[in-house]
Amino acid sequence: MTKTIAGFSKLSKSEKIDWIVSTYFSHDSSAKSILEQYWSSDKKLQQLHDEFIENTISNYYLPFGVAPNFLINNKLYTIPMAIEESSVVAAASKAAKFWLNRGGFKTEVISTTKIGQVHFMFHGNPGNLKSYFNHIKPKLFEDSKSITKNMEKRGGGILDIELKDKTEHIKGYYQLHASFETLDAMGANFINTCLEQFAKTFKDEALHFKGFPNEEKDIQIVMSILSNYVPDCLVRAEVSCNIEDLNDDENITPEEFASKFIQAVNIAEVEPYRAVTHNKGIMNGIDAVVLATGNDFRAVEAGIHAYASRKGTYSSLTHAKIENGKFYFWMEIPLALGTVGGLTGLHPLVKLALELLHKPSAKELMQITAVAGLAQNFAALRSLTTTGIQKGHMKMHLMNILNQFEASEAEKITVVDYFKTHTATHNAVVDVIQKLRSKN
Ligand code: MEV
């Protein structure tokens, strides 16, 4: 067992590193230099990163790539993506190009309502609670005015507050269930601040409410927090074309391709084991854009997967059909994103990513992000139902294997060239490198 430490967060960055290195890496002289290698030489920039979280000792890089040629509602975009998985950006670019000549992506924001809840316990008469809620509801809005003022000026704010009876699940459990419009902000801080104010007003005012007998006055607030489940913050993305225009692969007819593709989607609609992987592929595209634009990918992930299970079984987020000789492929997903606040005005690469996207509103970013997810799923299903996934994946992963073997530039050129006409597997790549080296 290693040592514990008190007051770690109070140490300087250099003291923190010294402690980590002496406690965990005393055998490894490179540990400190690896951590330092990833520091920015720009001291101000490094300080910005240091201060994002507690106990920063280095930066963790992800590749920041771009996928060009996305035509969305007749406007061209180059989409920024932050992701480590080799084939994702290549697949997105390929799908973008495929649909560029077939009308591009069509998107629409269906709704933008977000939810927050004050969870509380009340063990008295439900009728009295209802009367109290109706009595206090205007004051809940009123007491939050200083928080909502700016948001309201821009057209957002608190939309409604409802009392929800959850006592069939837990004895005495009720909620203030509030809905919000947060415009271009993701809104977490705004919503949570409003909720904490609701909770305070709701608890304090109960002490003076004449409709409660004494024993009912003590409302116990359990917690106040936004929900990352946002089924009413929905965006739709779609592609469609005549079946004969799906003619990109000489090894399969457009009709066969459409039919296999739809079967693959149908399987993900009914089979959770497949649906999870299918949706993971969609998240490859979504997370990469969410990360590049400084949004909270954990919130997005949680909300989308909950949505994928909303009918009681985990199911595909995308759908496909043929109608009147046309192929349709679409997805509706909940996405709570922001283009102001949070990291968006702070992280230089996030600012750059948003500028690259023509400084989108949150609604526009929802549409772009959904397209990245749909494109990713199209690319994955296209490979899966035709060549198989490994061909494209290994082509991109080849460079990782070469780097693992510290291949020289000359070796890389030879090996990449060789695998243009041979099937790349990990063993085959290792074999070729070893043969090449034994010759020299
Ligand atoms: C890999 O990251 C994603 C895929 O597995 C998605 C899918 O199977 O649809 C290729």
Side-chain angles (χ1 to χ4, degrees):
M1 205 171 101
T2 48
K3 294 181 280 182
T4 60
I5 181 167
F8 183 74
S9 67
K10 307 230 164 38
L11 299 181
S12 70
K13 183 162 145 187
S14 150
E15 287 167 335
K16 281 173 191 156
I17 291 176
D18 286 345
W19 185 83
I20 295 275
V21 168
S22 67
T23 310
Y24 294 96
F25 299 94
S26 49
H27 59 286
D28 180 0
S29 58
S30 66
K32 187 168 179 173
S33 59
I34 290 173
L35 290 169
E36 288 176 357
Q37 208 173 23
Y38 283 88
W39 290 0
S40 171
S41 56
D42 178 335
K43 287 213 162 60
K44 219 170 136 211
L45 182 65
Q46 186 52 52
Q47 191 182 347
L48 181 74
H49 283 262
D50 286 350
E51 291 174 1
F52 282 150
I53 60 167
E54 188 167 86
N55 297 343
T56 306
I57 53 173
S58 191
N59 305 313
Y60 187 94
Y61 292 177
L62 281 180
F64 179 91
V66 291
N69 298 322
F70 271 97
L71 186 65
I72 306 176
N73 299 338
N74 299 321
K75 187 169 165 184
L76 269 173
Y77 292 88
T78 294
I79 300 188
M81 302 177 92
I83 188 154
E84 88 301 343
E85 191 174 325
S86 319
S87 51
V88 169
V89 176
S93 305
K94 223 170 149 188
K97 213 151 169 218
F98 183 94
W99 287 105
L100 180 65
N101 305 320
R102 293 166 177 82
F105 294 80
K106 299 283 177 270
T107 59
E108 157 193 24
V109 170
I110 297 167
S111 50
T112 55
T113 301
K114 289 157 192 166
I115 298 297
Q117 298 165 318
V118 177
H119 305 269
F120 67 94
M121 294 294 168
F122 173 81
H123 294 286
N125 180 323
N128 290 348
L129 181 66
K130 215 166 164 197
S131 306
Y132 171 59
F133 172 72
N134 290 333
H135 161 79
I136 206 65
K137 188 171 169 180
K139 192 161 169 54
L140 296 177
F141 280 88
E142 217 174 281
D143 286 1
S144 313
K145 272 274 171 266
S146 63
I147 310 162
T148 58
K149 199 171 70 194
N150 285 339
M151 190 65 88
E152 275 173 10
K153 258 193 226 152
R154 299 197 298 269
I158 306 161
L159 301 177
D160 195 12
I161 309 171
E162 294 167 83
L163 174 68
K164 294 220 169 175
D165 184 335
K166 294 280 168 180
T167 52
E168 71 175 286
H169 303 294
I170 298 177
K171 196 164 163 266
Y173 171 35
Y174 294 85
Q175 299 168 349
L176 297 180
H177 183 95
S179 47
F180 300 85
E181 170 55 62
T182 62
L183 305 169
D184 284 337
M186 189 272 187
N189 282 329
F190 172 75
I191 294 174
N192 288 335
T193 313
C194 288
L195 293 170
E196 288 185 5
Q197 181 58 54
F198 298 164
K200 182 172 177 345
T201 303
F202 199 66
K203 183 170 175 62
D204 291 353
E205 294 296 321
L207 299 173
H208 313 294
F209 181 59
K210 299 221 163 30
F212 281 148
N214 269 346
E215 65 278 13
E216 288 184 355
K217 287 183 191 295
D218 184 23
I219 287 176
Q220 293 147 30
I221 305 292
V222 180
M223 58 189 162
S224 311
I225 187 74
L226 93 165
S227 173
N228 290 124
Y229 186 42
V230 282
D232 290 316
C233 190
L234 267 193
V235 57
R236 180 187 166 91
E238 181 184 298
V239 284
S240 64
C241 69
N242 292 327
I243 295 189
E244 63 266 25
D245 293 338
L246 292 167
N247 58 344
D248 210 48
D249 184 341
E250 62 200 23
N251 297 314
I252 187 165
T253 66
E255 291 75 17
E256 257 180 292
F257 171 68
S259 151
K260 272 189 95 176
F261 189 99
I262 291 171
Q263 280 165 358
V265 174
N266 290 343
I267 289 168
E269 283 168 338
V270 299
E271 167 55 53
Y273 279 97
R274 173 57 201 150
V276 172
T277 319
H278 177 97
N279 290 348
K280 185 273 181 189
I282 295 170
M283 299 316 292
N284 279 343
I286 291 178
D287 282 345
V289 182
V290 170
L291 260 174
T293 56
N295 276 280
D296 180 346
F297 68 92
R298 287 85 55 208
V300 165
E301 282 274 349
I304 289 184
H305 292 301
Y307 188 76
S309 331
R310 71 194 179 286
K311 293 181 182 152
T313 313
Y314 190 89
S315 177
S316 169
L317 293 161
T318 53
H319 307 282
K321 66 176 179 189
I322 294 173
E323 208 171 81
N324 301 327
K326 256 185 123 166
F327 169 81
Y328 293 88
F329 178 49
W330 74 97
M331 169 170 81
E332 268 176 31
I333 48 162
L335 266 180
L337 299 178
T339 54
V340 299
L343 282 195
T344 56
L346 213 53
H347 194 304
L349 269 177
V350 168
K351 285 203 270 187
L352 185 140
L354 289 170
E355 206 161 322
L356 178 67
L357 291 173
H358 317 290
K359 298 196 175 154
S361 63
K363 276 186 176 176
E364 238 180 304
L365 186 59
M366 285 167 76
Q367 297 172 75
I368 296 163
T369 308
V371 163
L374 189 73
Q376 210 62 47
N377 192 225
F378 180 78
L381 294 185
R382 189 163 167 233
S383 297
L384 285 167
T385 55
T386 56
T387 57
I389 205 75
Q390 282 308 83
K391 191 171 170 221
H393 182 73
M394 287 309 292
K395 191 172 141 208
M396 295 308 301
H397 189 58
L398 186 55
M399 215 36 88
N400 288 346
I401 305 174
L402 287 166
N403 284 332
Q404 244 168 31
F405 279 81
E406 297 184 358
S408 67
E409 282 313 304
E411 285 174 329
K412 281 181 184 172
I413 291 169
T414 311
V415 176
V416 167
D417 201 47
Y418 177 85
F419 282 106
K420 279 184 185 153
T421 49
H422 293 81
T423 305
T425 63
H426 189 274
N427 286 348
V429 177
V430 175
D431 231 35
V432 173
I433 298 172
Q434 279 167 350
K435 280 201 182 115
L436 201 63
R437 286 183 177 171
S438 67
K439 271 196 219 154
N440 297 328

